[in-house]
Amino acid sequence: DTAVSQTPKYLVTQMGNDKSIKCEQNLGHDTMYWYKQDSKKFLKIMFSYNNKELIINETVPNRFSPKSPDKAHLNLHINSLELGDSAVYFCASSQELAGQLNSPLHFGNGTRLTVT
Amino acid sequence: ELKVEQNPLFLSMQEGKNYTIYCNYSTTSDRLYWYRQDPGKSLESLFVLLSNGAVKQEGRLMASLDTKARLSTLHITAAVHDLSATYFCAVQGGNQFYFGTGTSLTVIP
């Protein structure tokens, strides 16, 4: 009955490879997100996506591309991986409520990406 | 871009002591959230503060929000070892959530 699940939990790969991380939520939420957490635990929004639009953070390299086949899934594809991409990537979801209010974020367990 | 700052970044405190973590943010918002992250784990929602003067309490933790000062506090009362974790505040801007730098709390027996 996991609310937000992401796979894989660990991902070790070499520079230059292409990889994907999958995320699914069964909460019926409208909005999903990808966050990157670096080694200093700083959390940075990468993308948010809801039924209406994909919001792209301009500081995210275009090697990163989110793909959402439906509102319960938001996958993250990364091309030409670099050493600096090593981090923990968290998927999250929230529900849009009345008055532009969102419920708290519900996070997945994270994917620890290591690029060698 | 909305900026969120927390202090201190690191906090080491003895069991039984009280302390406060501060969260300042740069633009107007009346929606603030506190999260807890245990090492190697995901983030867990602790509090949702939705209006000026809001105060929420759960066990030894109490959170408050002053939207005029753009400040939220997380007060720890009589700390116990189980509270050791990293605490994040997050401010909602539009439908995005902007996180503070986190406060890594270690409670020493």
Side-chain angles (χ1 to χ4, degrees):
Chain A
D1 60 347
T2 305
V4 181
S5 60
Q6 48 182 117
T7 56
K9 188 173 174 63
Y10 300 97
L11 185 53
V12 181
T13 189
Q14 291 184 324
M15 285 176 57
N17 285 347
D18 303 338
K19 291 293 179 184
S20 293
I21 306 172
K22 295 185 177 182
C23 179
E24 176 182 2
Q25 55 97 1
N26 62 6
L27 297 167
H29 286 174
D30 296 325
T31 309
M32 295 183 72
Y33 308 79
W34 279 107
Y35 281 85
K36 179 181 181 180
Q37 187 172 45
D38 62 22
S39 58
K40 296 182 180 179
K41 298 186 181 177
F42 183 64
L43 274 160
K44 191 169 178 65
I45 180 76
M46 299 178 70
F47 304 102
S48 64
Y49 193 102
N50 65 16
N51 287 333
K52 302 162 192 166
E53 63 180 315
L54 170 66
I55 300 170
I56 298 173
N57 186 314
E58 293 179 0
T59 64
V60 177
N62 58 15
R63 297 181 294 104
F64 291 80
S65 56
K67 297 189 193 315
S68 180
D70 54 62
K71 81 169 198 175
H73 296 84
L74 182 63
N75 303 323
L76 182 65
H77 189 74
I78 316 169
N79 288 328
S80 303
L81 278 155
E82 300 177 358
L83 292 176
D85 297 333
S86 296
V88 180
Y89 292 84
F90 283 100
C91 176
S93 71
S94 71
Q95 177 62 36
E96 229 175 80
L97 306 172
Q100 296 186 326
L101 173 66
N102 281 60
S103 66
L105 289 169
H106 292 255
F107 282 87
N109 287 329
T111 295
R112 182 174 294 276
L113 172 64
T114 303
V115 183
T116 61
Chain B
E1 181 178 308
L2 196 156
K3 294 194 184 302
V4 185
E5 293 184 352
Q6 282 180 241
N7 68 82
L9 295 182
F10 298 95
L11 176 57
S12 180
M13 56 190 298
Q14 286 188 314
E15 280 190 332
K17 299 293 187 183
N18 304 332
Y19 208 82
T20 300
I21 299 170
Y22 297 88
C23 173
N24 291 89
Y25 51 98
S26 61
T27 60
T28 302
S29 175
D30 55 2
R31 294 159 198 147
L32 191 133
Y33 306 80
W34 283 95
Y35 292 86
R36 168 181 172 146
Q37 185 180 32
D38 291 307
K41 302 291 186 182
S42 185
L43 284 85
E44 171 192 356
S45 177
L46 291 175
F47 299 109
V48 179
L49 302 168
L50 299 177
S51 61
N52 187 40
V55 176
K56 294 279 184 76
Q57 182 162 5
E58 178 74 32
R60 300 173 188 274
L61 300 177
M62 183 173 72
S64 66
L65 177 61
D66 181 344
T67 58
K68 294 180 181 177
R70 299 177 188 169
L71 170 69
S72 179
T73 61
L74 180 66
H75 187 73
I76 303 153
T77 302
V80 293
H81 180 68
D82 285 351
L83 291 179
S84 297
T86 299
Y87 293 85
F88 292 92
C89 63
V91 178
Q92 185 177 349
N95 69 348
Q96 297 206 41
F97 295 78
Y98 297 89
F99 280 79
T101 46
T103 296
S104 180
L105 170 66
T106 303
V107 180
I108 304 166

